[in-house]
Amino acid sequence: MSVLFGLYRPEEGTIKKDGKEVQIRDPNDANALGIGMVHQHFKLVDVFTAAENVALGLKNEGRLDLKAVSGRIREICAKYGFQVDPDQKIYDMSVSQKQTVEIIKVLYRGADILILDEPTAVLTPQETEELFVELKHLRDEGHTILFISHKLYEVKKLCDRVTVMRGGRMIATKNVSEVSEADISRMMVGRDVVEVIEKDRAVPGDTVLKLSGVTCVNSSGRKLLDNVSLNVRKGVILGLAGVEGNGQHELLEAIAGIEKLTAGTIQFHGR
């Protein structure tokens, strides 16, 4: 995908779009050809608004007319059913809203081919469902979507065709309706995948770390942690689960003393 978007240059081979051979030397060439990429790690400026992020990097004079940019964003949102306020700051947005801004960025530049790199990695199941509705709407409007994912149930649910790569080579391309998740995983690793997990039973000891009602609020008044209570016992490996952006990072920073508590207590060995 980085080759298609001009981040890498191929040593051999050709790329054709609409039947014509093209040269993609950098992302500007890709944008000019109507190819846009939404990266797994968003390329947004947090202190800018959605409109300012969309305008950033535009070549024409229109980039200075944020009112016009905001108007065009609202048109795109109305057409594809997006929910984004052009005047909202990025740091006040949810993860799914930030991803929608990235999609709007490429649509604003006229992309008809959208590359999405692991777009659901940072989304909750509900946000993933909302994204799939948006992507199907884009497909129905004539856009082509390249959806990179290792979540096979999502591939089955969203995609029309699937291409499997292994070791830098194309293994196969199939209609999704003709293959099962087991078929896809077999092509991915070259053998049947049987997951067997064996582990010894833990022997928990006394509580060594106790959090009670821990709450943290950032400078803009948004709650990062909301009444979190947790017991960690000796001799245990505790997994902390959650989609990125839902407080796990802030919880660890609170325990380490980096994030200041606005309410609650932290006890270590009872102190």
Side-chain angles (χ1 to χ4, degrees):
M1 298 304 104
S2 292
V3 170
L4 290 181
F5 192 58
L7 298 174
Y8 298 160
R9 291 191 185 184
E11 283 77 35
E12 297 181 21
T14 60
I15 300 173
K16 292 183 178 180
K17 184 174 187 288
D18 298 325
K20 297 179 180 179
E21 186 174 333
V22 295
Q23 298 294 325
I24 305 177
R25 294 157 298 202
D26 56 43
N28 288 327
D29 286 346
N31 285 328
L33 290 166
I35 300 172
M37 186 168 182
V38 176
H39 301 268
Q40 182 174 354
H41 301 290
F42 305 145
K43 310 297 183 183
L44 299 170
V45 181
D46 278 354
V47 296
F48 283 7
T49 64
E52 289 168 339
N53 271 277
V54 170
L56 195 63
L58 291 177
K59 297 294 185 183
N60 56 41
E61 295 180 0
R63 71 186 187 279
L64 302 177
D65 188 352
L66 289 179
K67 185 176 181 180
V69 173
S70 295
R72 176 62 181 143
I73 291 173
R74 290 189 175 93
E75 290 176 5
I76 293 172
C77 289
K79 182 176 181 179
Y80 298 110
F82 299 150
Q83 300 294 325
V84 167
D85 178 0
D87 300 321
Q88 186 177 358
K89 299 284 189 180
I90 297 299
Y91 61 69
D92 281 332
M93 292 185 176
S94 67
V95 176
S96 62
Q97 286 176 311
K98 293 176 183 179
Q99 188 170 73
T100 301
V101 173
E102 288 281 23
I103 294 174
I104 290 172
K105 276 171 59 179
V106 299
L107 292 175
Y108 192 100
R109 286 158 173 76
D112 56 7
I113 296 177
L114 280 71
I115 302 169
L116 287 86
D117 185 6
E118 297 280 0
T120 63
V122 295
L123 300 182
T124 64
Q126 180 181 358
E127 289 171 334
T128 296
E129 290 293 331
E130 292 170 358
L131 174 65
F132 284 3
V133 171
E134 294 174 354
L135 296 182
K136 289 177 180 178
H137 195 173
L138 287 168
R139 177 199 61 188
D140 294 343
E141 289 289 328
H143 291 79
T144 298
I145 298 169
L146 297 174
F147 179 84
I148 305 172
S149 180
H150 60 269
K151 300 178 181 179
L152 303 188
Y153 67 93
E154 292 183 354
V155 172
K156 287 285 292 180
K157 187 168 186 176
L158 176 69
C159 299
D160 302 303
R161 289 171 65 77
V162 57
T163 290
V164 176
M165 293 186 68
R166 187 173 75 241
R169 294 179 177 273
M170 295 296 185
I171 301 302
T173 298
K174 302 286 186 180
N175 292 324
V176 168
S177 60
E178 298 172 353
V179 291
S180 65
E181 291 184 25
D183 294 330
I184 299 172
S185 64
R186 190 179 303 112
M187 290 186 286
M188 288 171 65
V189 300
R191 56 177 173 78
D192 288 333
V193 179
V194 180
E195 185 177 18
V196 178
I197 300 175
E198 297 180 358
K199 59 188 298 183
D200 297 330
R201 179 181 293 273
V203 183
D206 296 334
T207 296
V208 293
L209 180 67
K210 181 176 181 179
L211 280 65
S212 302
V214 170
T215 300
C216 296
V217 179
N218 67 10
S219 58
S220 65
R222 184 172 69 88
K223 280 189 176 180
L224 304 175
L225 298 172
D226 186 6
N227 194 30
V228 176
S229 297
L230 179 70
N231 286 329
V232 183
R233 300 173 67 180
K234 183 178 180 180
V236 170
I237 299 173
L238 177 66
L240 187 61
V243 176
E244 183 178 343
N246 281 273
Q248 312 92 286
H249 182 74
E250 289 80 5
L251 178 60
L252 298 181
E253 288 191 336
I255 294 171
I258 299 171
E259 193 70 55
K260 186 177 180 181
L261 273 60
T262 52
T265 60
I266 298 177
Q267 295 182 352
F268 183 61
H269 289 289
R271 294 182 296 173

